[in-house]
Amino acid sequence: MRFVDEFRDAEKAQVLSGQIAALCEPGRHYSFMEVCGGHTHTIYKHGLEDYLPESVSLVHGPGCPVCVIPMGRLDDAIYISEQPDVIMTSFGDMMRVPGGKGSFFDSKAKGADIRMVYSPLDSLKIARANPDKKVVFMAIGFETTAPSTAMTVLRAAADGLENFSIFCNHVTIIPAIKAILDSPDMRLDGFLGPGHVSTVIGCKPYEFIARDHHKPLVCAGFEPLDILASIYQLMVQLRDGRCEVENQYTRVVPWDGNLKALQVINEVMELRPYFEWRGLGFISHSALKVREEYAKFDAEEIFKIPGIRVADPKACQCGEVLKGVIKPWECKVFGTACTPETPIGTCMVSPEGACAAYYNFGRFTRERVKEATRA
Amino acid sequence: MCLGIPGEVIELLDRPDLAKVNVSGVRRAINIGLLENENVQPGDWILIHVGFALSKIDEDEAAAALAFLEGIGTAYTDELDALAESNIE
């Protein structure tokens, strides 16, 4: 139990742990999905599974935007970055993600001008400083980053910038949750709702989960106590036979979200008919594209991307991990061929990916030991 | 990229959507245009994603979030390093 004392308020955590255990009905098993990669990170970092009874398990969801980008989209991005006079800009998180023909880092080593930025507004600045170049921003993320991309496009339009565009890969969380709920191999009792995505979209969009699928959801903060408190709230709902959307993270998440952020996303972007998610396949209305009114800022229009489709590596089971069907360490290549240094799958690349979190925080060893003990 | 990091507004800048913000000692311009209806003022704490303030938070939450982020290690220091390289205008 070497993780137990690593965070403050460990005593409060023990109290919550006891309260959760007291709510477990004998013989019943409980599975809750944490949708957000930030939650996955906290759970592994602090060994929160050690605080839960054996009958409560956490399933790691698809909420890491780096992890769900299909390899083909990255190949398309690399194609753009190799066109004449292009400067590709990207968040650092994307640089090591392997596509079918290598990563941004590989392409940069071969001579493509690919630069890391903190903010899309930094890309805009690079565009202003390089009027003879075409500057493209690799736009990724859920609703937490989509408003920032939209605001940047609006700024580029207002400033009359001619050499800036975005390669839009923004995805939306609700259709992914819906796909998981509709998946025949999923058995879940409730959800920990994402924290920062909910800052933008609010809590209302989750109501269908309670109403139509009869599962409770609690929007959760990122600290260990937030997560345990949210699990407790889910257990109380199940005990009372309720299925509701609750907000544990009221300190940050307003019930209605950030209306201005939703408005700017809607101004600049619209839903695609469908989009491919790594491991989850094609999901209807699950991603955003640039509206026609802003087509001159749409790299997909400007560069006529090839629209490459690449099957995930056969050995890699990111799909099953993202759906929560298997634990990361149950993948055949986990920790052997696939490590954070030499990732095969996206879940091993991002520090918020379930596989990297497992690997980095030693959960792999713990689970194997547990398994061996049971056998 | 996914980390929301808290910062304290130090001063409002010439553009109405920009403020100078202190994040763990790193002072940078941050876009506050998504909070245009919230009357952001110096002394306020905000939660920042990729150069944009997404919500106003109170000081206690900011302190708790900072303590948490400082405990998660490289994911946070990488984000701070990236912010330090940033030059939003």
Side-chain angles (χ1 to χ4, degrees):
Chain A
M1 298 283 269
R2 67 191 171 90
F3 301 96
V4 169
D5 296 319
E6 282 185 8
F7 65 96
R8 66 205 178 87
D9 296 333
E11 274 178 31
K12 285 184 191 166
Q14 290 294 1
V15 172
L16 276 165
S17 171
Q19 288 172 328
I20 292 167
L23 287 168
C24 290
E25 285 174 30
R28 181 170 177 185
H29 191 269
Y30 303 85
S31 285
F32 301 122
M33 173 174 277
E34 89 273 5
V35 175
C36 170
H39 288 155
T40 305
H41 191 93
T42 300
I43 287 161
Y44 290 140
K45 164 87 176 155
H46 296 287
L48 291 187
E49 286 170 319
D50 290 346
Y51 285 85
L52 298 175
E54 288 262 315
S55 58
V56 176
S57 57
L58 294 174
V59 176
H60 321 299
C64 164
V66 174
C67 305
V68 298
I69 296 263
M71 293 171 88
R73 286 300 279 188
L74 191 64
D75 287 352
D76 284 340
I78 287 173
Y79 167 83
I80 294 171
S81 70
E82 289 169 347
Q83 299 308 300
D85 300 322
V86 165
I87 300 175
M88 176 62 78
T89 57
S90 167
F91 296 136
D93 313 48
M94 258 336 271
M95 295 297 287
R96 287 194 308 126
V97 175
K101 295 175 193 155
S103 65
F104 272 158
F105 265 136
D106 297 331
S107 187
K108 188 176 163 71
K110 286 182 212 147
D113 192 345
I114 303 178
R115 306 183 190 180
M116 274 189 272
V117 290
Y118 167 69
S119 166
L121 288 173
D122 289 317
S123 302
L124 212 56
K125 183 157 185 176
I126 292 172
R128 281 193 205 100
N130 296 276
D132 54 337
K133 299 279 188 181
K134 298 170 199 161
V135 176
V136 182
F137 174 65
M138 175 76 177
I140 63 161
F142 285 95
E143 287 90 339
T144 37
T145 52
S148 306
T149 304
M151 287 281 276
T152 304
V153 170
L154 290 175
R155 178 78 184 276
D159 293 355
L161 223 56
E162 298 285 338
N163 66 329
F164 174 79
S165 62
I166 65 164
F167 183 42
C168 191
N169 294 284
H170 284 296
V171 282
T172 56
I173 195 72
I174 295 294
I177 296 178
K178 194 164 182 341
I180 284 163
L181 281 164
D182 290 341
S183 167
D185 46 4
M186 273 316 310
R187 297 193 65 83
L188 290 170
D189 298 284
F191 291 88
L192 296 175
H196 292 155
V197 163
S198 306
T199 307
V200 173
I201 68 173
C203 299
K204 280 186 190 160
Y206 304 114
E207 283 172 350
F208 80 97
I209 298 170
R211 187 187 59 235
D212 303 339
H213 295 271
H214 312 293
K215 311 279 184 202
L217 179 142
V218 176
C219 285
F222 290 93
E223 294 181 55
L225 284 184
D226 288 327
I227 290 174
L228 291 174
S230 300
I231 294 169
Y232 173 72
Q233 283 181 234
L234 287 170
M235 294 292 291
V236 169
Q237 285 204 42
L238 291 176
R239 180 199 62 191
D240 298 345
R242 287 184 292 127
C243 296
E244 292 167 16
V245 176
E246 292 180 335
N247 186 7
Q248 183 272 337
Y249 201 28
T250 51
R251 314 189 305 273
V252 174
V253 173
W255 189 262
D256 291 322
N258 182 327
L259 294 179
K260 169 78 182 175
L262 292 171
Q263 182 200 326
V264 296
I265 295 174
N266 190 44
E267 162 78 26
V268 175
M269 301 169 195
E270 61 188 350
L271 286 173
R272 294 175 192 271
Y274 54 85
F275 192 72
E276 187 179 8
W277 291 54
R278 183 152 184 162
L280 298 178
F282 288 94
I283 304 179
S284 300
H285 303 113
S286 64
L288 297 164
K289 72 185 286 287
V290 179
R291 282 187 188 276
E292 209 178 321
E293 297 91 301
Y294 294 95
K296 64 185 214 179
F297 302 102
D298 185 357
E300 261 171 87
E301 292 293 325
I302 297 167
F303 295 97
K304 307 291 176 214
I305 57 158
I308 299 162
R309 262 209 87 200
V310 182
D312 290 336
K314 275 199 178 126
C316 169
Q317 293 180 281
C318 275
E320 282 95 328
V321 172
L322 286 168
K323 280 189 288 191
V325 176
I326 64 166
K327 291 281 184 185
W329 63 272
E330 291 173 313
C331 172
K332 290 186 288 292
V333 290
F334 177 91
T336 51
C338 186
T339 67
E341 287 70 40
T342 55
I344 293 177
T346 41
C347 298
M348 191 59 99
V349 179
S350 162
E352 297 193 345
C355 297
Y358 246 77
Y359 190 92
N360 290 333
F361 299 121
R363 312 306 293 166
F364 170 53
T365 318
R366 172 181 166 274
E367 292 295 344
R368 275 287 156 90
V369 168
K370 214 179 197 179
E371 195 72 2
T373 322
R374 277 184 196 146
Chain B
M1 179 261 296
C2 279
L3 285 185
I5 54 178
E8 184 181 10
V9 177
I10 305 296
E11 64 173 303
L12 300 178
L13 297 172
D14 292 342
R15 288 179 53 96
D17 58 354
L18 283 187
K20 185 168 278 182
V21 177
N22 183 352
V23 183
S24 287
V26 179
R27 289 168 181 236
R28 285 292 177 275
I30 294 295
N31 188 296
I32 54 170
L34 294 169
L35 299 180
E36 67 177 15
N37 302 321
E38 304 216 13
N39 187 29
V40 173
Q41 294 296 323
D44 285 345
W45 285 84
I46 53 177
L47 195 62
I48 303 159
H49 280 264
V50 299
F52 288 78
L54 270 191
S55 55
K56 248 162 90 163
I57 53 178
D58 67 28
E59 198 172 344
D60 288 346
E61 171 59 20
L66 272 177
F68 170 68
L69 288 168
E70 280 159 9
I72 66 170
T74 53
Y76 181 54
T77 50
D78 287 352
E79 191 77 4
L80 277 185
D81 289 347
L83 174 67
E85 293 289 316
S86 169
N87 198 354
I88 290 171
E89 56 186 32

